[in-house]
Amino acid sequence: QVQLVESGGGLVQAGGSLRLSCAASGRTYSSYTMGWFRQAPGKEREFVASITWSGGSTRYSASVKGRFTISRDNAKNTVYLQMNSLKPEDAAVYHCASRDQGRSEYNSWGQGTLVTVSS
């Protein structure tokens, strides 16, 4: 299993920026794709972005494309989410997740980091 620890959340004004980090440890060799998800109070968890460790192929949700950038540092086993032009609707608990190669669902999850955006 891969252990994931997120950091970097906090309070920011609308229009501001934050960078989230997700440090992976444990069986990182089994991880193929890393994703960021978010869940706001009273809402379902939603996909934000993903990246593959090998090749760095990325995907974004329509709501964040052009504002958020996902990246990875393979040497540090760390994935980042740079969030710019933040909006109040971006406020949520952000979780990172790992998906092993060949699996259709993410199978390891972090505890999450809270992002609050003031208007």
Side-chain angles (χ1 to χ4, degrees):
Q1 186 123 9
V2 178
Q3 287 77 48
L4 303 171
V5 178
E6 304 95 334
S7 61
L11 172 64
V12 64
Q13 286 189 331
S17 299
L18 278 177
R19 188 176 82 153
L20 306 183
S21 300
C22 174
S25 61
R27 296 181 60 181
T28 56
Y29 56 85
S30 66
S31 175
Y32 183 76
T33 303
M34 294 292 292
W36 284 99
F37 293 77
R38 67 187 182 187
Q39 187 166 21
K43 295 188 177 181
E44 292 193 356
R45 185 173 62 199
E46 66 169 336
F47 169 80
V48 175
S50 66
I51 189 168
T52 58
W53 286 112
S54 175
S57 178
T58 59
R59 288 180 56 227
Y60 295 92
S61 69
S63 62
V64 308
K65 196 169 187 179
R67 299 187 298 122
F68 291 10
T69 302
I70 189 170
S71 61
R72 91 281 192 216
D73 185 331
N74 291 46
K76 295 181 179 180
N77 288 327
T78 300
V79 173
Y80 305 97
L81 185 68
Q82 177 66 43
M83 306 186 294
N84 299 328
S85 302
L86 282 161
K87 304 174 181 180
E89 52 264 42
D90 294 318
V93 176
Y94 283 71
H95 297 267
C96 69
S98 169
R99 184 175 68 198
D100 289 350
Q101 189 166 12
R103 296 186 68 119
S104 59
E105 296 185 354
Y106 287 84
N107 53 302
S108 296
W109 292 85
Q111 291 298 310
T113 186
L114 178 64
V115 172
T116 304
V117 183
S118 63
S119 57

